[in-house]
Amino acid sequence: MALLTLAEAKAQLNLTGDGDDVELQDYIDSVTAVVEEYCGPIEPRAVTERHDAESGRSVIVLRTTPVLSLTSVTPVLTGGVSHPVAGLDLDPDTGAVRRLDGGRFRGLLLFTVQAGRAGVPPVPPTVNLASRMLVQHLWRTQRPSRSGGLAGGGDDYTVGEPIPGFGYAVPNRVLELLAPYRLPPGVA
């Protein structure tokens, strides 16, 4: 589920050999988690969440957003009530699920959804570029240049103030590229 390929990362870093491929793949895999923490799932995938509605709830808010579709709502315990998805309303951006009949959800329920973002290609070009830039930033902070400083110079990858939740690991320009895909406030 990486947001970029090894070949794309190598091109961004101007690497031609394969001596660093295993380590670079670790960076690629790690960057996906960072980007999705900020934006939510990018590539579509099935996600199942357990929600406790024992006391009855009119709205269940999914923890994973954005959501492409609601696949099923089934009880965890035998004898519980299933909810046909045709009778439910889903807000794909906030993950809020309501019953169309105005009733309440009750019991322990499993919500299965298709999370991610619609589109072709599945990874928007801006997200791919931000991911490549983040790999480049993290890679360069670990690779001293021949002159003794960090490769790539300081100003190009300097992170000013720490970003809440991200510290100094994500440059502001990466966050600026991801801004159109950022999760709404209060959704995480």
Side-chain angles (χ1 to χ4, degrees):
M1 293 298 231
L3 299 176
L4 68 154
T5 65
L6 180 61
E8 289 170 327
K10 288 173 77 169
Q12 183 75 19
L13 297 171
N14 296 318
L15 295 175
T16 55
D18 59 3
D20 293 316
D21 285 4
V22 172
E23 183 180 7
L24 183 55
Q25 187 63 53
D26 289 340
Y27 279 71
I28 292 166
D29 296 341
S30 298
V31 162
T32 298
V34 171
V35 170
E36 289 193 344
E37 174 70 22
Y38 193 73
C39 300
I42 301 295
E43 293 200 51
R45 64 175 153 283
V47 174
T48 300
E49 296 182 3
R50 181 179 171 144
H51 289 269
D52 182 355
E54 289 295 329
S55 59
R57 293 171 57 190
S58 60
V59 178
I60 299 288
V61 179
L62 302 171
R63 291 180 291 279
T64 304
T65 60
V67 179
L68 293 167
S69 64
L70 183 59
T71 307
S72 67
V73 179
T74 57
V76 173
L77 303 173
T78 304
V81 177
S82 290
H83 298 278
V85 294
L88 302 174
D89 177 59
L90 166 69
D91 181 326
D93 295 323
T94 65
V97 181
R98 291 177 176 77
R99 290 178 48 178
L100 291 174
D101 65 5
R104 295 176 135 341
F105 293 101
R106 297 196 187 281
L108 294 173
L109 300 169
L110 291 179
F111 286 74
T112 302
V113 301
Q114 187 71 12
R117 296 175 185 275
V120 175
V123 178
T126 305
V127 173
N128 178 272
L129 175 60
S131 300
R132 286 185 282 133
M133 291 170 65
L134 183 53
V135 165
Q136 185 175 18
H137 168 71
L138 296 172
W139 189 260
R140 287 184 175 190
T141 63
Q142 301 302 312
R143 302 285 185 267
S145 71
R146 291 187 186 118
S147 63
L150 290 178
D155 291 335
D156 196 32
Y157 285 92
T158 298
V159 180
E161 295 297 316
I163 308 300
F166 294 96
Y168 292 98
V170 181
N172 290 333
R173 66 187 180 157
V174 169
L175 293 176
E176 289 171 5
L177 286 170
L178 296 175
Y181 304 95
R182 185 176 187 178
L183 290 171
V187 176

